[in-house]
Amino acid sequence: KIIIDFEPNRPINLNIYSCGLNFVTAEIKKELLANEPPFGFIIVDGNGALYGTLQGRTKEVIMKFTVELPKKHRKGGQSSVRFGRLRVEKRHNYLRKVCEVAETVFLQNDKVNVVGLVLAGSADFKNEL
């Protein structure tokens, strides 16, 4: 009796239900041999950012972080202009951090490691990036 066991080089996200005597490997081989280039994803909103890749059917979250940004408010009297300025400054610093982390995640040895980049999330943040 010979038993062959192997571990695939990447996760297989494939469900096959087959009631037969043989193990179906054609679809698994096709999935493993498909060498699609990865796409990068950046999802940005007021609560944080998520960086990930999509290669074929395989999704991978590379990094994520959360942030506490001040909300708009109507109180403050004479300090309302200062509160507004601090809010804009914190949003700017957050977007700068998102760009710096994206550079470290998707660039290695001054080469881009993804084919394309998809930017998703809140409209205000996407337009500012």
Side-chain angles (χ1 to χ4, degrees):
K1 205 178 207 186
I2 297 175
I3 298 175
I4 298 174
D5 183 21
F6 73 95
E7 185 173 330
N9 57 352
R10 61 181 178 183
I12 301 173
N13 294 331
L14 185 65
N15 295 327
I16 299 174
Y17 180 75
S18 175
C19 292
L21 298 174
N22 299 329
F23 187 68
V24 179
T25 59
E27 291 294 322
I28 296 173
K29 281 184 192 177
K30 189 171 129 182
E31 181 75 20
L32 283 175
L33 296 177
N35 193 9
E36 297 179 16
F39 271 86
F41 280 88
I42 302 175
I43 302 171
V44 183
D45 64 358
N47 296 324
L50 181 132
Y51 302 89
T53 58
L54 175 69
Q55 186 172 14
R57 294 183 186 182
T58 306
K59 296 175 273 192
E60 179 184 1
V61 175
I62 298 174
M63 182 180 192
K64 63 181 176 178
F65 64 89
T66 59
V67 69
E68 295 277 336
L69 291 177
K71 308 282 188 229
K72 289 183 180 179
H73 58 79
R74 297 185 176 154
K75 297 180 182 176
Q78 294 176 344
S79 300
S80 65
V81 177
R82 181 174 57 93
F83 288 151
R85 186 180 69 245
L86 291 174
R87 179 180 171 273
V88 170
E89 184 178 319
K90 287 184 180 182
R91 285 174 60 97
H92 176 72
N93 291 339
Y94 168 60
L95 289 175
R96 185 182 316 152
K97 181 179 178 182
V98 167
C99 292
E100 290 171 358
V101 172
E103 184 178 339
T104 61
V105 167
F106 296 120
L107 290 177
Q108 293 176 348
N109 299 329
D110 292 332
K111 289 192 176 187
V112 180
N113 59 2
V114 293
V115 172
L117 194 60
V118 177
L119 188 59
S122 176
D124 294 340
F125 290 115
K126 289 187 301 187
N127 291 336
E128 288 181 34
L129 279 177

